[in-house]
Amino acid sequence: MIRTISAGLKQGVLKRYISSNVGLAPTIKEQLSNPPAIGSVFEVRGFVKSIRNSKNVGFLDITDGSSSKIINVVLVGKGQPRFQVGESVRVKGEWNVSKGKGQENELKYNPQDPNHAYEIIGAVPEDYPLQKKATSMSFLRTLPSLKHRASTIASFYRLRSFLETQMMDFFNNYSFTKVSPPLITSSDCEGAGETFEIKSAQEFFEKNAYLTVSTQLHLEAVSLALNRAWTLTPCFRAEESKTSRHLSEFWMLEAEISYLDELEPLLNFTEEMVKYATKQLVSRKNEYLEGTYLDREVIESRWSSILGDWRRITYNEALDELNSKGASLTFGDSLNLDHERSLAENGPVFVTDYPASMKPFYMLKSTNYDKDKPTVACFDLLLPQFGELVGGSLREHDYDTLVESMKKNNMNLDDMDWYISLRKYGTIPHGGFGMGWERFVTYLSGHDNIRDLVPFPRAPGLCKA
């Protein structure tokens, strides 16, 4: 029915028709996108963000989080109600052209007009902590249930939501299938031992089980059947890190691609994915820059960096470059955050072909494999001022070679038989990557603390709600 009636309607009108058809109260985003006629009776619902009073008139800024924009309510006439910042309210009045600066239209409320009305839906005490004055991020972190109402925090969530929709479009354009691998697993994908063990697993599953640190192994199994598969799911790491770049519960975007026997196409695809989402964001920058009090120059600099030229160097070339700047690194040494930032000083950079000893068991040997300095066909994507964003590799698809690698890593082959069998029954050359989702959103938001991008962050010593 909706499809038939609305076939000739403009998109904005269609949105309004569908909302009213299912009985939902319109959001402020919808109301400002499709405002009513000037002079008509209009109702807004939301939180009181700020209050201003003059001799004969008062002003309320109403927000509901659906947009960075507000609806300004002008209070005129005698007998005005008393409002407080933070209250949830409903105000009905007359929609007018705004006489002030910064707002195109405003809602005029006059208690003497029988068609006007108001309701305080949810009152707040006098000490409501989120007032009009500037609020620091450190203070907001002490308010796990209320911080979401702050303008900048809300802008993070809207940005994250937007980027998820863009990733869905991107992967659909490349014939991927989105799947949902399990979060409970019997294997440690990375082999680092930083897993959360499920206490009742032995009794319930009759074997040890853990919260997944990566869905990669299960995603490989699905992708070999579907050709290309991706997921965006929670992952968990019991890593004793309290930095602003780490979480114990985070989301990972992971993808696996079949019939891939060279690293170059995987790099190309990863670069295109990151640039695509960023381009879509830039095309709507006014919408996603409004409402944040972060440094816009930093934000736009990061966007420009992503959309610029990217370098590609090997691990050995990275060592040479860093040593020329005063480092003292030898083959097999890890690259720390300062090293990563130095390499990405002038723009994003792929570092490929790391030593095999530094990487998990499942990675394929490099094309130019050297027995004296063995490397694997893998990469890390490093961003300016930020460090690693994406890690990926080609996967070992030969049965005997994979088994040998697992034995060298002292892995239980019986527990991993389901995974090993993929190489026995119609194996396929393939590869993939994982991208820390909060890191991506943090970088594009111009922020630096990953914990502020999550409604209820989980980290060592941090589980407040």
Side-chain angles (χ1 to χ4, degrees):
M1 179 179 176
I2 292 177
R3 188 174 301 168
T4 302
I5 292 176
S6 60
L9 299 179
K10 293 181 179 179
Q11 185 178 8
V13 179
L14 173 59
K15 287 181 181 178
R16 189 161 53 193
Y17 170 77
I18 292 176
S19 293
S20 62
N21 186 58
V22 299
L24 298 179
T27 66
I28 286 179
K29 180 178 180 179
E30 292 170 339
Q31 289 175 317
L32 293 178
S33 297
N34 305 285
I38 298 299
S40 62
V41 175
F42 178 78
E43 180 177 285
V44 61
R45 304 183 189 196
F47 292 104
V48 178
K49 184 176 182 179
S50 67
I51 301 172
R52 304 179 303 284
N53 291 301
S54 62
K55 186 176 181 180
N56 299 314
V57 66
F59 302 92
L60 300 179
D61 287 342
I62 307 295
T63 179
D64 70 352
S66 64
S67 168
S68 62
K69 297 180 179 180
I70 56 94
I71 286 181
N72 182 237
V73 178
V74 182
L75 308 173
V76 299
K78 297 181 179 180
Q80 289 295 336
R82 183 175 181 273
F83 295 96
Q84 286 184 243
V85 171
E87 288 178 330
S88 58
V89 300
R90 177 179 66 88
V91 182
K92 181 189 291 186
E94 182 181 327
W95 191 241
N96 281 330
V97 175
S98 177
K99 297 179 181 179
K101 296 181 180 180
Q103 293 291 323
E104 185 176 345
N105 299 310
E106 60 189 20
L107 183 66
K108 184 173 72 175
Y109 169 78
N110 187 339
Q112 308 304 315
D113 191 321
N115 293 317
H116 295 192
Y118 83 95
E119 176 186 3
I120 297 177
I121 300 171
V124 298
E126 293 287 345
D127 61 351
Y128 178 72
L130 295 179
Q131 297 297 323
K132 182 182 178 181
K133 61 183 180 180
T135 304
S136 69
M137 285 291 178
S138 59
F139 175 69
L140 290 174
R141 293 176 199 129
T142 68
L143 306 172
S145 61
L146 293 179
K147 68 173 186 177
H148 324 292
R149 301 182 190 179
S151 297
T152 297
I153 296 291
S155 74
F156 291 155
Y157 300 162
R158 290 191 295 269
L159 172 60
R160 179 174 181 146
S161 176
F162 172 75
L163 291 173
E164 285 191 28
T165 64
Q166 301 314 301
M167 285 302 180
M168 182 71 76
D169 290 341
F170 176 79
F171 281 104
N172 284 343
N173 290 340
Y174 281 92
S175 303
F176 277 73
T177 301
K178 189 176 188 297
V179 297
S180 301
L183 302 184
I184 298 176
T185 177
S186 60
S187 59
D188 178 1
C189 176
E190 299 298 326
E194 297 169 341
T195 57
F196 287 103
E197 185 172 357
I198 298 175
K199 186 175 181 180
S200 59
Q202 189 65 47
E203 178 183 350
F204 191 85
F205 295 113
E206 299 181 354
K207 66 185 306 181
N208 292 334
Y210 315 87
L211 296 179
T212 187
V213 299
S214 166
T215 66
Q216 178 201 313
L217 304 187
H218 294 95
L219 191 61
E220 284 186 57
V222 177
S223 69
L224 295 183
L226 299 175
N227 196 300
R228 299 172 187 172
W230 77 287
T231 188
L232 181 58
T233 53
C235 294
F236 309 84
R237 292 191 183 177
E239 184 178 6
E240 287 291 337
S241 177
K242 297 183 179 181
T243 74
S244 61
R245 303 175 68 252
H246 293 86
L247 290 168
S248 298
E249 178 186 343
F250 58 98
W251 286 66
M252 184 92 80
L253 187 154
E254 297 182 273
E256 292 291 325
I257 304 172
S258 297
Y259 305 102
L260 195 63
D261 50 17
E262 293 181 359
L263 195 58
E264 197 74 8
L266 188 58
L267 303 183
N268 295 340
F269 182 83
T270 303
E271 180 173 349
E272 180 62 22
M273 176 192 71
V274 173
K275 286 186 172 181
Y276 176 87
T278 306
K279 288 176 184 176
Q280 301 308 307
L281 178 57
V282 170
S283 70
R284 297 172 63 175
K285 70 176 184 178
N286 290 335
E287 178 179 351
Y288 289 98
L289 282 177
E290 280 185 311
T292 176
Y293 298 105
L294 299 174
D295 191 326
R296 294 195 177 199
E297 185 176 338
V298 171
I299 296 173
E300 295 190 334
S301 173
R302 290 184 177 184
W303 296 356
S304 296
S305 177
I306 284 180
L307 298 180
D309 295 329
W310 293 24
R311 291 198 304 150
R312 300 180 182 188
I313 60 175
T314 65
Y315 168 84
N316 286 323
E317 290 170 338
L319 294 188
D320 292 340
E321 183 175 323
L322 291 168
N323 288 337
S324 71
K325 297 178 179 180
S328 182
L329 299 170
T330 59
F331 185 85
D333 288 341
S334 297
L335 304 183
N336 61 32
L337 181 58
D338 288 338
H339 296 145
E340 293 176 347
R341 287 175 172 171
S342 177
L343 293 170
E345 186 176 17
N346 297 315
V349 56
F350 284 113
V351 179
T352 67
D353 301 282
Y354 283 79
S357 61
M358 297 170 59
K359 294 298 180 179
F361 69 95
Y362 51 74
M363 293 189 178
L364 188 70
K365 294 177 181 178
S366 296
T367 301
N368 299 318
Y369 185 79
D370 183 344
K371 289 184 179 180
D372 295 327
K373 293 184 176 181
T375 57
V376 287
C378 66
F379 73 89
D380 284 344
L381 171 60
L382 313 179
L383 296 183
Q385 300 95 42
F386 199 75
E388 181 189 352
L389 175 67
V390 185
S393 75
L394 299 182
R395 319 308 192 189
E396 179 55 67
H397 57 276
D398 179 75
Y399 176 85
D400 293 329
T401 306
L402 180 62
V403 169
E404 180 184 355
S405 175
M406 296 175 74
K407 287 180 178 178
K408 286 182 179 179
N409 283 273
N410 299 315
M411 299 181 67
N412 188 318
L413 299 185
D414 290 335
D415 285 347
M416 296 293 290
D417 182 65
W418 67 272
Y419 178 74
I420 303 171
S421 67
L422 294 171
R423 277 64 174 174
K424 186 185 297 184
Y425 303 119
T427 189
I428 297 173
H430 63 286
F433 60 82
M435 178 172 73
W437 188 243
E438 284 84 5
R439 287 192 178 189
F440 185 48
V441 182
T442 299
Y443 189 77
L444 290 180
S445 73
H447 197 39
D448 291 315
N449 194 324
I450 195 172
R451 299 183 184 188
D452 297 325
L453 275 292
V454 180
F456 296 93
R458 304 293 185 238
L462 183 59
C463 189
K464 292 185 177 181

